[in-house]
Amino acid sequence: MEGTLKQIQAYAKEINAFLPKDEQELEGFRIRFLGTKGVVKSFFGEMKNVPAEGKKSFGQTLNDFKKLAEEKYESAKAALNGTKEESSHAIDLTLPAEPHRLGAHHPVSVVRKQITDIFSHLGFVIAEGPEIEDDWHNFTALNMPPDHPARDMQDTFYISRNPEWVLRTHTSSVQVRVMEQGKLPIRIICPGRVFRNETISARAHCFFHQVEGLYIDEDVSFADLKQTLYFFVKEMFGENTGIRFRPSFFPFTEPSAEMDISCLICGGKGCAVCKHTGWVEILGCGMVHPNVLENCRIDSKKYTGFAFGMGIERIAMLKYQIKDLRLFSENDIRFLEQFTGA
Ligand code: PHE
């Protein structure tokens, strides 16, 4: 009896220390202790040799021993499964990394940078202003007083909280702000987003991007305007691109003109893109109206200047042969990734 209890104690010690490395060791443990011919069973077999008065306490000891072996088996099994799960989730550092898709600049950003780079070579600096403007900077200072019919040229979003506020319809408003600061001469380009209440189609959107330019100094003439824009066109579209000016009207310039470039597709011979004229329109321009200079407290007897404005999307459409304006704001990866190298 004494010997049997010692044996049980020794086994209990072994069970407590048991820590299987793998399933095989665990199974070995199960067979050795809990199997049909295992240690636990064989101790229970000894019950018959125990005298009646000792049966109860020996039975209790055996039950505890059996429980110890069973619990060890369950906990060891759980621990083993846990490690297995963990290792299947573990990161395999030897695998090749998931490729990162490289983004690209948006074509509007690409073309805006090209435009501003060209003008910065001529000494123009970038000026920016708010997208929500007041009536004065967007219209009135630009020789478009309230009720002036020229306001109809730009269908405007008014802000209901304050009818004096609009979403700017052009970045000419930034030019007004810079002129009002009164530091002359002025040579700026104003890139930015502008808004017009247009029905969305392949050729119009409720917002687009512009780069406008302004040059004010003593003795600035229309010849300077032509030469500056000619330089821009050659840099932007190539040495052989031609330009022509057509008389036009803007309330803030006098004289005013629209500038066309020779069609990039047919080289001027006439095709569908240029509607068989050989020319495509790219911007509006003119000499700053004296009223505008005076509105901004600039002496119009002493100073003259020219201004121009173009839509970035329009330039991008011509340059990359994009047929639908909506593509610029649809975030379609198939469209955007074509500019990765641009
Ligand atoms: N502000 C004009 C527009 O948005 C463009 C322009 C700018 C025309 C400067 C002439 C001179 O339509």
Side-chain angles (χ1 to χ4, degrees), residues 277-320:
T277 62
W279 298 95
V280 283
E281 179 194 324
I282 65 159
L283 56 79
C285 58
M287 300 306 291
V288 182
H289 197 293
N291 288 355
V292 174
L293 295 174
E294 296 296 336
N295 283 342
C296 300
R297 299 182 297 274
I298 293 174
D299 184 352
S300 63
K301 303 252 162 19
K302 188 166 171 205
Y303 290 100
T304 50
F306 67 74
F308 57 87
M310 67 188 101
I312 300 179
E313 282 87 344
R314 175 149 185 81
I315 306 285
M317 285 171 95
L318 288 172
K319 203 166 159 126
Y320 298 115

Short mmCIF file of all heavy atoms in Angstrom, two decimals, residues 277-320:
data_model
loop_
_atom_site.label_atom_id
_atom_site.label_comp_id
_atom_site.label_asym_id
_atom_site.label_seq_id
_atom_site.Cartn_x
_atom_site.Cartn_y
_atom_site.Cartn_z
N THR A 277 -11.37 73.84 -88.72
CA THR A 277 -10.91 75.23 -88.85
C THR A 277 -9.39 75.30 -88.81
O THR A 277 -8.81 76.31 -89.19
CB THR A 277 -11.45 76.10 -87.70
OG1 THR A 277 -10.92 75.57 -86.47
CG2 THR A 277 -12.96 76.10 -87.64
N GLY A 278 -8.74 74.26 -88.27
CA GLY A 278 -7.29 74.29 -88.11
C GLY A 278 -6.85 74.96 -86.81
O GLY A 278 -5.67 74.97 -86.48
N TRP A 279 -7.79 75.52 -86.06
CA TRP A 279 -7.46 76.24 -84.82
C TRP A 279 -8.30 75.77 -83.65
O TRP A 279 -9.46 75.40 -83.85
CB TRP A 279 -7.71 77.75 -85.01
CG TRP A 279 -6.86 78.37 -86.07
CD1 TRP A 279 -7.23 78.58 -87.36
CD2 TRP A 279 -5.52 78.84 -85.93
NE1 TRP A 279 -6.19 79.16 -88.05
CE2 TRP A 279 -5.12 79.33 -87.20
CE3 TRP A 279 -4.60 78.89 -84.88
CZ2 TRP A 279 -3.86 79.87 -87.43
CZ3 TRP A 279 -3.35 79.43 -85.10
CH2 TRP A 279 -2.98 79.91 -86.37
N VAL A 280 -7.72 75.78 -82.44
CA VAL A 280 -8.53 75.52 -81.23
C VAL A 280 -8.29 76.63 -80.21
O VAL A 280 -7.16 77.08 -80.00
CB VAL A 280 -8.21 74.14 -80.58
CG1 VAL A 280 -8.85 73.00 -81.35
CG2 VAL A 280 -6.72 73.92 -80.45
N GLU A 281 -9.39 77.03 -79.58
CA GLU A 281 -9.32 78.14 -78.62
C GLU A 281 -8.71 77.64 -77.31
O GLU A 281 -9.05 76.57 -76.83
CB GLU A 281 -10.74 78.64 -78.38
CG GLU A 281 -10.82 79.77 -77.40
CD GLU A 281 -12.26 80.00 -76.95
OE1 GLU A 281 -13.18 79.86 -77.77
OE2 GLU A 281 -12.43 80.31 -75.76
N ILE A 282 -7.77 78.42 -76.73
CA ILE A 282 -7.24 77.97 -75.43
C ILE A 282 -7.35 78.99 -74.30
O ILE A 282 -7.32 78.62 -73.14
CB ILE A 282 -5.78 77.45 -75.50
CG1 ILE A 282 -4.79 78.54 -75.87
CG2 ILE A 282 -5.65 76.25 -76.41
CD1 ILE A 282 -3.38 78.17 -75.42
N LEU A 283 -7.49 80.27 -74.61
CA LEU A 283 -7.59 81.21 -73.47
C LEU A 283 -8.18 82.55 -73.86
O LEU A 283 -8.26 82.90 -75.05
CB LEU A 283 -6.22 81.40 -72.81
CG LEU A 283 -5.00 81.87 -73.60
CD1 LEU A 283 -5.03 83.38 -73.83
CD2 LEU A 283 -3.73 81.53 -72.83
N GLY A 284 -8.56 83.31 -72.82
CA GLY A 284 -9.02 84.68 -73.00
C GLY A 284 -7.97 85.62 -72.43
O GLY A 284 -7.25 85.27 -71.50
N CYS A 285 -7.88 86.82 -73.01
CA CYS A 285 -6.83 87.73 -72.55
C CYS A 285 -7.17 89.17 -72.95
O CYS A 285 -8.16 89.42 -73.65
CB CYS A 285 -5.48 87.34 -73.14
SG CYS A 285 -5.47 87.33 -74.94
N GLY A 286 -6.35 90.09 -72.51
CA GLY A 286 -6.56 91.49 -72.91
C GLY A 286 -5.75 92.43 -72.03
O GLY A 286 -5.06 92.00 -71.11
N MET A 287 -5.87 93.74 -72.36
CA MET A 287 -5.20 94.76 -71.55
C MET A 287 -6.14 95.15 -70.41
O MET A 287 -7.33 95.42 -70.65
CB MET A 287 -4.87 95.99 -72.41
CG MET A 287 -3.97 95.70 -73.60
SD MET A 287 -2.42 94.88 -73.14
CE MET A 287 -1.57 96.18 -72.24
N VAL A 288 -5.61 95.18 -69.19
CA VAL A 288 -6.45 95.44 -68.02
C VAL A 288 -7.20 96.77 -68.18
O VAL A 288 -6.59 97.81 -68.50
CB VAL A 288 -5.60 95.46 -66.72
CG1 VAL A 288 -6.51 95.69 -65.50
CG2 VAL A 288 -4.85 94.14 -66.56
N HIS A 289 -8.50 96.74 -68.01
CA HIS A 289 -9.35 97.93 -68.18
C HIS A 289 -8.96 98.99 -67.14
O HIS A 289 -8.78 98.65 -65.96
CB HIS A 289 -10.81 97.52 -68.00
CG HIS A 289 -11.78 98.52 -68.54
ND1 HIS A 289 -11.93 99.78 -67.99
CD2 HIS A 289 -12.63 98.46 -69.60
CE1 HIS A 289 -12.84 100.44 -68.67
NE2 HIS A 289 -13.27 99.66 -69.66
N PRO A 290 -8.85 100.27 -67.58
CA PRO A 290 -8.46 101.32 -66.61
C PRO A 290 -9.39 101.36 -65.40
O PRO A 290 -8.93 101.64 -64.28
CB PRO A 290 -8.57 102.62 -67.42
CG PRO A 290 -8.56 102.21 -68.86
CD PRO A 290 -9.00 100.78 -68.94
N ASN A 291 -10.67 101.07 -65.59
CA ASN A 291 -11.60 101.07 -64.44
C ASN A 291 -11.18 100.06 -63.38
O ASN A 291 -11.33 100.29 -62.18
CB ASN A 291 -13.03 100.72 -64.88
CG ASN A 291 -13.68 101.83 -65.66
OD1 ASN A 291 -13.09 102.91 -65.79
ND2 ASN A 291 -14.87 101.57 -66.20
N VAL A 292 -10.66 98.93 -63.84
CA VAL A 292 -10.23 97.90 -62.89
C VAL A 292 -9.03 98.41 -62.10
O VAL A 292 -8.97 98.27 -60.87
CB VAL A 292 -9.89 96.59 -63.64
CG1 VAL A 292 -9.31 95.55 -62.68
CG2 VAL A 292 -11.12 96.03 -64.35
N LEU A 293 -8.08 99.02 -62.80
CA LEU A 293 -6.89 99.56 -62.11
C LEU A 293 -7.32 100.60 -61.07
O LEU A 293 -6.88 100.56 -59.92
CB LEU A 293 -5.92 100.19 -63.13
CG LEU A 293 -5.30 99.22 -64.14
CD1 LEU A 293 -4.48 99.98 -65.19
CD2 LEU A 293 -4.40 98.20 -63.43
N GLU A 294 -8.21 101.50 -61.48
CA GLU A 294 -8.66 102.56 -60.56
C GLU A 294 -9.43 101.96 -59.37
O GLU A 294 -9.27 102.42 -58.24
CB GLU A 294 -9.54 103.59 -61.30
CG GLU A 294 -8.81 104.37 -62.40
CD GLU A 294 -7.66 105.25 -61.88
OE1 GLU A 294 -7.69 105.64 -60.69
OE2 GLU A 294 -6.73 105.53 -62.67
N ASN A 295 -10.26 100.93 -59.63
CA ASN A 295 -10.98 100.26 -58.53
C ASN A 295 -10.00 99.71 -57.49
O ASN A 295 -10.34 99.58 -56.32
CB ASN A 295 -11.82 99.09 -59.06
CG ASN A 295 -13.10 99.56 -59.73
OD1 ASN A 295 -13.52 100.70 -59.51
ND2 ASN A 295 -13.69 98.70 -60.56
N CYS A 296 -8.81 99.38 -57.95
CA CYS A 296 -7.81 98.80 -57.04
C CYS A 296 -6.77 99.87 -56.64
O CYS A 296 -5.66 99.52 -56.20
CB CYS A 296 -7.13 97.60 -57.70
SG CYS A 296 -8.28 96.30 -58.13
N ARG A 297 -7.12 101.09 -56.81
CA ARG A 297 -6.28 102.26 -56.41
C ARG A 297 -4.91 102.25 -57.11
O ARG A 297 -3.89 102.59 -56.53
CB ARG A 297 -6.10 102.29 -54.88
CG ARG A 297 -7.43 102.45 -54.13
CD ARG A 297 -7.22 102.54 -52.64
NE ARG A 297 -6.62 101.32 -52.08
CZ ARG A 297 -7.32 100.26 -51.71
NH1 ARG A 297 -8.64 100.26 -51.84
NH2 ARG A 297 -6.71 99.21 -51.22
N ILE A 298 -4.91 101.85 -58.38
CA ILE A 298 -3.68 101.92 -59.18
C ILE A 298 -3.88 103.03 -60.22
O ILE A 298 -4.95 103.09 -60.86
CB ILE A 298 -3.38 100.58 -59.88
CG1 ILE A 298 -3.03 99.52 -58.83
CG2 ILE A 298 -2.22 100.71 -60.87
CD1 ILE A 298 -2.85 98.12 -59.38
N ASP A 299 -2.89 103.91 -60.36
CA ASP A 299 -2.99 105.05 -61.28
C ASP A 299 -2.96 104.54 -62.73
O ASP A 299 -1.91 104.11 -63.23
CB ASP A 299 -1.80 105.99 -61.00
CG ASP A 299 -1.88 107.25 -61.85
OD1 ASP A 299 -2.76 107.30 -62.76
OD2 ASP A 299 -1.06 108.15 -61.63
N SER A 300 -4.11 104.63 -63.40
CA SER A 300 -4.21 104.06 -64.76
C SER A 300 -3.54 104.95 -65.81
O SER A 300 -3.39 104.55 -66.96
CB SER A 300 -5.68 103.82 -65.13
OG SER A 300 -6.36 105.07 -65.17
N LYS A 301 -3.13 106.18 -65.40
CA LYS A 301 -2.38 107.03 -66.35
C LYS A 301 -0.92 106.59 -66.37
O LYS A 301 -0.23 106.71 -67.38
CB LYS A 301 -2.45 108.50 -65.91
CG LYS A 301 -3.86 109.03 -65.77
CD LYS A 301 -4.17 110.00 -66.90
CE LYS A 301 -5.65 110.25 -67.10
NZ LYS A 301 -6.58 109.95 -66.04
N LYS A 302 -0.47 106.08 -65.23
CA LYS A 302 0.94 105.70 -65.12
C LYS A 302 1.17 104.22 -65.46
O LYS A 302 2.17 103.86 -66.08
CB LYS A 302 1.39 105.97 -63.68
CG LYS A 302 2.87 105.80 -63.45
CD LYS A 302 3.28 106.41 -62.10
CE LYS A 302 4.71 106.03 -61.80
NZ LYS A 302 4.99 106.04 -60.37
N TYR A 303 0.23 103.40 -65.06
CA TYR A 303 0.44 101.94 -65.22
C TYR A 303 -0.51 101.33 -66.25
O TYR A 303 -1.67 101.76 -66.37
CB TYR A 303 0.22 101.23 -63.88
CG TYR A 303 1.29 101.52 -62.86
CD1 TYR A 303 1.08 102.46 -61.86
CD2 TYR A 303 2.52 100.87 -62.93
CE1 TYR A 303 2.08 102.73 -60.92
CE2 TYR A 303 3.51 101.13 -62.00
CZ TYR A 303 3.29 102.06 -61.00
OH TYR A 303 4.28 102.33 -60.09
N THR A 304 0.01 100.35 -66.95
CA THR A 304 -0.85 99.53 -67.82
C THR A 304 -0.52 98.07 -67.51
O THR A 304 0.50 97.77 -66.88
CB THR A 304 -0.58 99.79 -69.31
OG1 THR A 304 0.82 99.70 -69.55
CG2 THR A 304 -1.13 101.14 -69.74
N GLY A 305 -1.35 97.18 -68.02
CA GLY A 305 -1.05 95.77 -67.76
C GLY A 305 -1.86 94.86 -68.65
O GLY A 305 -2.80 95.29 -69.31
N PHE A 306 -1.45 93.62 -68.68
CA PHE A 306 -2.26 92.63 -69.40
C PHE A 306 -2.65 91.51 -68.46
O PHE A 306 -2.01 91.30 -67.41
CB PHE A 306 -1.55 92.11 -70.66
CG PHE A 306 -0.30 91.29 -70.43
CD1 PHE A 306 -0.38 89.99 -69.95
CD2 PHE A 306 0.96 91.83 -70.74
CE1 PHE A 306 0.77 89.22 -69.78
CE2 PHE A 306 2.11 91.06 -70.56
CZ PHE A 306 2.02 89.76 -70.08
N ALA A 307 -3.73 90.83 -68.84
CA ALA A 307 -4.21 89.68 -68.06
C ALA A 307 -4.64 88.58 -69.03
O ALA A 307 -4.95 88.85 -70.18
CB ALA A 307 -5.38 90.08 -67.18
N PHE A 308 -4.59 87.37 -68.54
CA PHE A 308 -5.08 86.26 -69.35
C PHE A 308 -5.60 85.18 -68.41
O PHE A 308 -5.28 85.18 -67.21
CB PHE A 308 -3.95 85.69 -70.25
CG PHE A 308 -2.73 85.23 -69.47
CD1 PHE A 308 -2.67 83.94 -68.96
CD2 PHE A 308 -1.67 86.10 -69.24
CE1 PHE A 308 -1.57 83.52 -68.24
CE2 PHE A 308 -0.56 85.68 -68.51
CZ PHE A 308 -0.51 84.39 -68.01
N GLY A 309 -6.41 84.29 -68.95
CA GLY A 309 -6.94 83.21 -68.11
C GLY A 309 -7.24 81.99 -68.95
O GLY A 309 -7.77 82.11 -70.06
N MET A 310 -6.85 80.84 -68.42
CA MET A 310 -7.11 79.60 -69.17
C MET A 310 -7.60 78.50 -68.23
O MET A 310 -7.31 78.51 -67.04
CB MET A 310 -5.86 79.14 -69.92
CG MET A 310 -4.73 78.69 -69.01
SD MET A 310 -3.21 78.40 -69.94
CE MET A 310 -2.29 79.90 -69.61
N GLY A 311 -8.35 77.55 -68.80
CA GLY A 311 -8.82 76.40 -68.02
C GLY A 311 -7.76 75.30 -68.09
O GLY A 311 -7.32 74.94 -69.19
N ILE A 312 -7.37 74.78 -66.94
CA ILE A 312 -6.33 73.74 -66.93
C ILE A 312 -6.84 72.47 -67.61
O ILE A 312 -6.13 71.83 -68.39
CB ILE A 312 -5.88 73.43 -65.49
CG1 ILE A 312 -5.30 74.70 -64.84
CG2 ILE A 312 -4.83 72.32 -65.48
CD1 ILE A 312 -4.85 74.49 -63.41
N GLU A 313 -8.10 72.10 -67.31
CA GLU A 313 -8.64 70.88 -67.93
C GLU A 313 -8.62 70.99 -69.46
O GLU A 313 -8.34 70.02 -70.15
CB GLU A 313 -10.09 70.64 -67.46
CG GLU A 313 -10.20 70.05 -66.06
CD GLU A 313 -10.20 71.11 -64.97
OE1 GLU A 313 -9.82 72.27 -65.27
OE2 GLU A 313 -10.57 70.79 -63.83
N ARG A 314 -8.93 72.18 -69.95
CA ARG A 314 -8.97 72.35 -71.40
C ARG A 314 -7.58 72.10 -72.01
O ARG A 314 -7.44 71.42 -73.02
CB ARG A 314 -9.47 73.76 -71.74
CG ARG A 314 -9.43 74.05 -73.21
CD ARG A 314 -10.51 75.02 -73.66
NE ARG A 314 -10.47 75.15 -75.12
CZ ARG A 314 -11.02 74.28 -75.95
NH1 ARG A 314 -11.68 73.24 -75.47
NH2 ARG A 314 -10.92 74.45 -77.25
N ILE A 315 -6.56 72.65 -71.35
CA ILE A 315 -5.19 72.45 -71.85
C ILE A 315 -4.82 70.97 -71.76
O ILE A 315 -4.24 70.41 -72.69
CB ILE A 315 -4.18 73.28 -71.00
CG1 ILE A 315 -4.58 74.75 -70.95
CG2 ILE A 315 -2.75 73.08 -71.49
CD1 ILE A 315 -4.33 75.54 -72.18
N ALA A 316 -5.21 70.33 -70.64
CA ALA A 316 -4.91 68.90 -70.48
C ALA A 316 -5.64 68.07 -71.54
O ALA A 316 -5.08 67.11 -72.08
CB ALA A 316 -5.31 68.43 -69.08
N MET A 317 -6.86 68.44 -71.84
CA MET A 317 -7.64 67.70 -72.85
C MET A 317 -6.97 67.78 -74.21
O MET A 317 -6.91 66.79 -74.95
CB MET A 317 -9.07 68.25 -72.92
CG MET A 317 -9.92 67.82 -71.74
SD MET A 317 -11.50 68.66 -71.68
CE MET A 317 -12.54 67.47 -72.53
N LEU A 318 -6.45 68.97 -74.52
CA LEU A 318 -5.78 69.13 -75.81
C LEU A 318 -4.47 68.36 -75.83
O LEU A 318 -4.12 67.68 -76.79
CB LEU A 318 -5.48 70.61 -76.07
CG LEU A 318 -6.69 71.48 -76.40
CD1 LEU A 318 -6.29 72.95 -76.44
CD2 LEU A 318 -7.29 71.05 -77.73
N LYS A 319 -3.73 68.49 -74.73
CA LYS A 319 -2.41 67.89 -74.70
C LYS A 319 -2.46 66.36 -74.71
O LYS A 319 -1.65 65.70 -75.35
CB LYS A 319 -1.68 68.39 -73.44
CG LYS A 319 -0.20 68.29 -73.59
CD LYS A 319 0.56 69.04 -72.56
CE LYS A 319 1.93 68.43 -72.54
NZ LYS A 319 3.02 69.29 -72.70
N TYR A 320 -3.42 65.79 -73.96
CA TYR A 320 -3.47 64.33 -73.84
C TYR A 320 -4.62 63.71 -74.62
O TYR A 320 -4.94 62.53 -74.43
CB TYR A 320 -3.58 63.94 -72.36
CG TYR A 320 -2.39 64.37 -71.54
CD1 TYR A 320 -2.52 65.31 -70.53
CD2 TYR A 320 -1.13 63.84 -71.80
CE1 TYR A 320 -1.42 65.72 -69.78
CE2 TYR A 320 -0.03 64.25 -71.05
CZ TYR A 320 -0.19 65.18 -70.04
OH TYR A 320 0.89 65.58 -69.31
#
